[in-house]
Amino acid sequence: SCANIWNEIRVTSCSLSSISATGIRTMDGVVNLTVDNPAPDFILKNASGHIKHKDKDFLVVSASDLFVEGRSTKEYRVPLRGELAPGLTTLSFLGTIGTSGLSEYTIDINATVSTKSGFKKDIEYKNIPLEEAIKLF
């Protein structure tokens, strides 16, 4: 049915293109996503990920709005902005990432999907192990 076509949208590849520190607790990056979208055009708005390390706030990542073309497979460059939790710096971030396994991290994901026809749906996932979130891509 038409409703199920939305469940067939897939991110077929995901890679970090760049990352750079922009302050003591902030960084910018770009992710390349390839999206296979058999559904109509949509916009992914207000996308954010709240990453926790051992159940403590670690990093909040937000993405620019993304227009995804309908009925296509296409690569998108998605600008990201990250802000570390209070008390962490970009140097401590690199140290923590280098010494911790991904199994110690979880992510909460929030976004809004909207279409030209006015359809809107909020998406929310809580406490997803970061290892599993990465495997989705």
Side-chain angles (χ1 to χ4, degrees):
S1 76
C2 292
N4 289 334
I5 200 162
W6 292 98
N7 295 329
E8 295 176 20
I9 298 169
R10 299 283 179 253
V11 174
T12 58
S13 70
C14 176
S15 62
L16 183 62
S17 174
S18 66
I19 189 168
S20 61
T22 56
I24 294 174
R25 293 183 39 238
T26 58
M27 58 193 84
D28 287 342
V30 175
V31 170
N32 293 329
L33 295 177
T34 302
V35 179
D36 179 21
N37 179 19
D41 297 346
F42 66 90
I43 300 174
L44 189 64
K45 296 180 177 183
N46 305 318
S48 67
H50 186 115
I51 300 172
K52 297 176 192 168
H53 178 246
K54 296 181 180 178
D55 293 325
K56 293 183 182 176
D57 291 340
F58 184 68
L59 177 68
V60 175
V61 178
S62 57
S64 298
D65 290 354
L66 177 64
F67 174 80
V68 178
E69 286 185 32
R71 297 170 187 82
S72 67
T73 299
K74 186 173 177 184
E75 183 174 276
Y76 299 91
R77 291 179 50 82
V78 183
L80 303 174
R81 162 102 354 137
E83 183 172 349
L84 293 162
L88 293 176
T89 64
T90 51
L91 287 176
S92 64
F93 165 78
L94 294 173
T96 302
I97 291 292
T99 59
S100 299
L102 289 179
S103 63
E104 297 178 358
Y105 296 88
T106 60
I107 185 168
D108 298 341
I109 300 171
N110 297 290
T112 300
V113 175
S114 64
T115 65
K116 288 187 253 182
S117 65
F119 170 81
K120 263 189 178 179
K121 180 167 175 76
D122 292 328
I123 300 170
E124 181 178 65
Y125 299 98
K126 294 281 186 187
N127 293 317
I128 300 170
L130 194 55
E131 283 179 315
E132 287 181 28
I134 290 172
K135 287 178 188 176
L136 293 174
F137 301 120

